[in-house]
Amino acid sequence: MTKAISYAAHDPKSPLSPFAFERRAVGENDVQIEILYCGVCHSDLHQARDEWGNSTFPMVPGHEIVGRVTQVGSAVTKFKAGDLAGVGCLVDSCGTCPDCAEGLEQYCNNSVFTYNSPDKHNNKSTYGGYSNLIVVDQHFTLKVSEKLDLAAVAPLLCAGITTYSPLKHWKVGKGHKVGIVGLGGLGHMGLKFAHAFGAYTVLFTTSPGKAEDAKRLGADEVVISKNPEEMQQHLQSFDFILNTVAAPHDLDQFMSLLKRDGSMCLVGVPDSPHPSPSVGNLIFKRRTLAGSLIGGIEETQEMLDFCAEHNITSDIELIPIQQINTAFERMLKSDVKYRFVIDIDSLKQAA
């Protein structure tokens, strides 16, 4: 067992505060990582405040982890001490079901998430990356390139793979017209990937002031979604729309922009349901409304390698962990461009 320090949510109402606990001893297939940076995901806030109704306390959030390996188990072949490593949203799965066999561990009925998930090693709950170290099975540990800014790599472990995976699944590429709904932590990564894949990329936003930044990030065009005339100009023209908004909204206004056989994929999880879309909007053009959850370990590694090759990282604001509660409040107001990342070195001041 190794002592760890962190910031934790102790109940749904109180601010996150310092919390000490013990990580498991390094097993033969385990990798121990000194955490350098951890991204702040909107789901961290949802779960810390029990907005999805499945939270266990105390909770140490964080599943966008980048760090350096400090120790490996006797059977570990992927890593050695000193290597850079990443950990995303998953730390375990059954390994035998059809989903796991196809490298889609995120859909395994027995997947174990990086925090707020039953930990089979100690019958408690998993603790995440708002801490100074973590121990993870080598299969769920990812290689990170030395080429990129490590702090800006951290959000790729969730925001990156959450947008990369559906764009790859629906085979987005040259010759496609692709819409990205929302310019936030997820949306700005969707823009970067769709642009890198060669698609004609359109951002949908309610904020005219975001147009210039969207074009810098890869948008060929920006549409103000609350302007009916601008929306009307794009009827039945999109091959694919990636909807990243995590708040309830009218889906029909975007479904009507899809071509026949076009698809819209949802990746944001609101704390209350969307208004039900029109069935006719689906049937009469054979459109598809779908969802996607992060990505499997193999695809996440593919995404990290793609980012290293194409110099893609998240746009971030680096904060000390002592500012996490302020960051949560700012995130609710969309007051970040476009992802907070915690400098875990700041935890030493809380020890």
Side-chain angles (χ1 to χ4, degrees):
M1 305 286 279
T2 305
K3 290 183 178 180
I5 55 175
S6 71
Y7 261 50
H10 296 271
D11 60 68
K13 302 294 184 183
S14 302
L16 274 65
S17 60
F19 174 62
F21 65 98
E22 290 187 330
R23 294 288 189 189
R24 71 174 186 262
V26 176
E28 64 177 8
N29 288 303
D30 286 337
V31 177
Q32 181 175 285
I33 301 166
E34 176 192 6
I35 300 174
L36 302 175
Y37 301 101
C38 184
V40 180
C41 180
H42 205 281
S43 60
D44 297 347
L45 186 153
H46 281 307
Q47 297 202 69
R49 298 185 176 181
D50 199 20
E51 292 175 349
W52 291 342
N54 63 347
S55 296
T56 301
F57 298 96
M59 179 194 302
V60 179
H63 55 208
E64 299 179 338
I65 299 166
V66 170
R68 200 167 290 278
V69 176
T70 55
Q71 187 178 345
V72 299
S74 59
V76 171
T77 57
K78 286 176 59 178
F79 295 91
K80 64 183 185 302
D83 287 349
L84 289 174
V87 180
C89 302
L90 297 171
V91 293
D92 212 342
S93 67
C94 79
T96 58
C97 70
D99 293 323
C100 290
E102 293 180 43
L104 298 169
E105 298 94 340
Q106 73 273 32
Y107 298 116
C108 172
N109 289 333
N110 294 298
S111 60
V112 178
F113 293 96
T114 305
Y115 69 91
N116 194 41
S117 197
D119 190 340
K120 68 181 183 182
H121 295 277
N122 57 20
N123 296 316
K124 295 182 180 179
S125 182
T126 53
Y127 290 146
Y130 293 13
S131 58
N132 64 324
L133 63 92
I134 194 167
V135 178
V136 182
D137 185 286
Q138 66 171 334
H139 177 74
F140 293 88
T141 307
L142 297 142
K143 295 180 180 294
V144 173
S145 172
E146 300 270 4
K147 296 179 182 178
L148 302 175
D149 174 15
L150 295 183
V153 167
L156 299 179
L157 276 303
C158 178
I161 188 58
T162 295
T163 50
Y164 181 93
S165 184
L167 290 169
K168 289 288 287 189
H169 179 76
W170 274 274
K171 297 180 172 58
V172 165
K174 292 181 180 179
H176 291 152
K177 183 178 179 181
V178 173
I180 307 293
V181 184
L183 186 63
L186 294 177
H188 93 287
M189 289 307 309
L191 278 182
K192 290 186 179 192
F193 285 133
H195 176 78
F197 294 163
Y200 183 87
T201 305
V202 179
L203 175 76
F204 294 99
T205 179
T206 58
S207 305
K210 293 183 177 179
E212 183 177 345
D213 221 21
K215 290 181 178 178
R216 174 183 66 83
L217 292 163
D220 296 291
E221 190 174 346
V222 177
V223 173
I224 308 305
S225 57
K226 60 186 178 183
N227 184 324
E229 293 182 359
E230 289 191 30
M231 295 289 281
Q232 187 75 17
Q233 292 172 11
H234 292 272
L235 287 177
Q236 302 181 35
S237 65
F238 282 86
D239 298 284
F240 182 76
I241 295 175
L242 181 66
N243 190 327
T244 73
V245 175
H249 61 281
D250 176 19
L251 301 178
D252 278 326
Q253 63 175 329
F254 300 108
M255 294 300 297
S256 64
L257 305 184
L258 293 169
K259 295 177 178 177
R260 172 182 49 81
D261 291 327
S263 298
M264 180 163 74
C265 179
L266 308 179
V267 292
V269 182
D271 54 11
S272 58
H274 294 294
S276 180
S278 165
V279 174
N281 223 353
L282 301 173
I283 289 174
F284 284 94
K285 288 294 179 182
R286 202 164 59 190
R287 295 168 173 139
T288 302
L289 177 62
S292 178
L293 176 68
I294 51 173
I297 299 303
E298 182 179 354
E299 187 175 49
T300 304
Q301 187 63 64
E302 175 190 307
M303 179 272 306
L304 288 170
D305 295 344
F306 181 88
C307 288
E309 182 181 350
H310 293 86
N311 196 31
I312 294 173
T313 56
S314 294
D315 284 31
I316 68 164
E317 181 177 334
L318 191 64
I319 61 168
I321 201 162
Q322 292 80 5
Q323 293 181 11
I324 186 58
N325 295 298
T326 301
F328 274 9
E329 295 305 319
R330 287 181 55 194
M331 194 161 54
L332 285 172
K333 301 173 184 175
S334 299
D335 179 24
V336 56
K337 290 186 176 180
Y338 284 94
R339 202 74 162 182
F340 287 115
V341 173
I342 302 167
D343 182 349
I344 298 298
D345 188 59
S346 62
L347 252 180
K348 295 174 184 177
Q349 300 171 30

